[in-house]
Amino acid sequence: MTTRPDATQIPVIDFAPFPQGDRHQVAQEIYHACHDVGFLYLRNAGLSPHIIQQAFTTSQQLFSLPLAAKQQVAWTHTGSNRGYIGLDKESLNPSQPRDLKEAFNLGKERSPAELAAQPNDPSVQPNRWPEALPSFRPTMMDIYDHFAATVYDILRAFALALDLPEDYFCDRHQSPWFTLRLLHYPPLQQTAQPGQLRAGAHSDYGTLTLLVQDDVGGLEVQRTGGEWIAAPAIPDTVIINTGDLMERWSNGVFRSTRHRVALPKGAKAQGDRYSMAFFCEPDPTVEIRCLPTCTRHQPPQYPPITTQDYLMQRLQATY
């Protein structure tokens, strides 16, 4: 018998049985976690600890570059969503001061022929690579491919959890319109403004997010009653959370839960924090319409919208 997760905690689920054929049990546990909490820790998800550590090391090298070098590969517009995003540039909670973090976004590497053939396709964009770090590009593409392979396994589990054909979501994530985001939260150099955080309270935009983080802490998840609970790093796990498009697709069956990165206190205020998020969005032209298996308890709650239209709305409000 499956034990329902305590809504005051984030459940830890062992994914190892899923690729071995015990799909129903794992899918049921994921259903309850996504429905009740919107967050879960996934153990044995297939992410290599060696590659993750290598990516963290390379990420630290990137953010240690002089600002001028990072600005050479700066993010330019929402349609691209590639490159470096400096401190005080993004507000994940638009009602509050800008976030105390810097970031770097990259997506699937495209050939010159693909870029030339599809200049207006938002899923076909060039990455921006820092010249000062020749190892950065191959390392980040390794971690990108690593995350993408894991995502497709998780999408199959999500589909089974919602009583859909196993490849339902995989078939709608073929671009793929995925984004790997490196995050650095530098030491606090001055008193924060009222309401300012390392990352403001927000929900993610897409289908699901994978997150790995160091052990500094600060990630917090909002419960249904409004309280915030800590989501610390747990060794050998990856955090999974569902995003807005999955909430819309599932008619609210899976929750898109607000989360934030709080300001550190004491000695931790003078330290760095690093994390990596892998955002999974459907193909740009996919229409997000209430799934047929998610109308049992209420009629559709959201109007249909394409992935591209929804994400552009959210990104334009953020920057």
Side-chain angles (χ1 to χ4, degrees), residues 137-158:
R137 180 175 181 172
T139 299
M140 287 303 130
M141 293 322 300
D142 276 351
I143 189 66
Y144 179 95
D145 291 342
H146 212 52
F147 271 118
T150 297
V151 159
Y152 284 115
D153 283 338
I154 298 170
L155 286 174
R156 292 183 180 95
F158 271 46

Side-chain angles (χ1 to χ4, degrees), residues 86-93 96-102 181 185 195-202 318:
L87 289 168
D88 206 33
K89 296 294 185 183
E90 183 181 50
S91 182
L92 289 173
N93 183 349
Q96 298 295 337
R98 292 183 177 272
D99 300 338
L100 297 171
K101 69 176 187 300
E102 56 181 343
R181 164 168 267 207
Y185 305 86
Q196 192 171 34
L197 297 173
R198 279 184 153 174
H202 66 286
T318 299

Side-chain angles (χ1 to χ4, degrees), residues 87 100 184-192 198 263-264 269-272:
L87 289 168
L100 297 171
H184 173 226
Y185 305 86
L188 300 182
Q189 303 295 337
Q190 58 190 28
T191 302
R198 279 184 153 174
L263 295 178
Q270 301 309 310
D272 298 275

Side-chain angles (χ1 to χ4, degrees), residues 36-319:
D36 296 339
V37 185
F39 267 75
L40 59 98
Y41 292 95
L42 203 61
R43 196 183 301 280
N44 295 314
L47 293 171
S48 162
H50 171 72
I51 291 181
I52 296 295
Q53 184 54 55
Q54 187 178 30
F56 269 119
T57 299
T58 308
S59 175
Q60 292 167 10
Q61 293 171 350
L62 169 76
F63 291 119
S64 296
L65 290 174
L67 180 59
K70 291 183 286 190
Q71 291 289 13
Q72 289 177 355
V73 290
W75 182 100
T76 55
H77 60 91
T78 54
S80 142
N81 199 30
R82 301 285 193 272
Y84 172 72
I85 302 160
L87 289 168
D88 206 33
K89 296 294 185 183
E90 183 181 50
S91 182
L92 289 173
N93 183 349
S95 68
Q96 298 295 337
R98 292 183 177 272
D99 300 338
L100 297 171
K101 69 176 187 300
E102 56 181 343
F104 187 92
N105 293 352
L106 63 97
K108 182 178 176 62
E109 190 77 325
R110 302 294 186 173
S111 69
E114 288 178 297
L115 295 172
Q118 304 176 74
N120 299 317
D121 187 336
S123 67
V124 182
Q125 298 292 329
N127 286 312
R128 313 201 71 189
W129 302 111
E131 293 182 1
L133 291 176
S135 65
F136 184 80
R137 180 175 181 172
T139 299
M140 287 303 130
M141 293 322 300
D142 276 351
I143 189 66
Y144 179 95
D145 291 342
H146 212 52
F147 271 118
T150 297
V151 159
Y152 284 115
D153 283 338
I154 298 170
L155 286 174
R156 292 183 180 95
F158 271 46
L160 294 179
L162 292 170
D163 294 327
L164 296 165
E166 186 171 312
D167 287 330
Y168 184 91
F169 292 124
C170 293
D171 291 343
R172 289 156 178 80
H173 293 75
Q174 292 297 309
S175 298
W177 208 6
F178 301 160
T179 300
L180 174 60
R181 164 168 267 207
L182 313 179
L183 290 152
H184 173 226
Y185 305 86
L188 300 182
Q189 303 295 337
Q190 58 190 28
T191 302
Q193 301 176 48
Q196 192 171 34
L197 297 173
R198 279 184 153 174
H202 66 286
S203 59
D204 289 346
Y205 309 155
T207 306
L208 59 87
T209 303
L210 282 67
L211 177 74
V212 291
Q213 57 180 336
D214 63 19
D215 59 3
V216 172
L219 178 63
E220 296 179 340
V221 173
Q222 191 171 37
R223 293 169 54 188
T224 53
E227 306 91 341
W228 293 91
I229 59 174
I234 296 179
D236 302 320
T237 68
V238 59
I239 291 178
I240 309 293
N241 66 279
T242 44
D244 296 348
L245 290 181
M246 180 56 76
E247 180 172 284
R248 296 174 73 101
W249 235 340
S250 68
N251 204 29
V253 173
F254 283 4
R255 295 178 51 204
S256 181
T257 301
R258 281 163 58 87
H259 49 286
R260 67 188 185 185
V261 179
L263 295 178
K265 298 179 180 179
K268 287 188 176 181
Q270 301 309 310
D272 298 275
R273 180 183 188 271
Y274 294 91
S275 65
M276 287 181 290
F278 193 79
F279 299 108
C280 173
E281 285 93 19
D283 298 339
T285 59
V286 167
E287 184 179 63
I288 308 302
R289 178 185 293 273
C290 179
L291 295 167
T293 58
C294 295
T295 58
R296 296 165 184 164
H297 302 294
Q298 61 179 357
Q301 300 298 298
Y302 302 96
I305 191 170
T306 66
T307 302
Q308 180 175 338
D309 287 346
Y310 184 80
L311 294 185
M312 290 303 106
Q313 290 174 15
R314 291 298 306 268
L315 288 170
Q316 288 165 3
T318 299
Y319 294 98

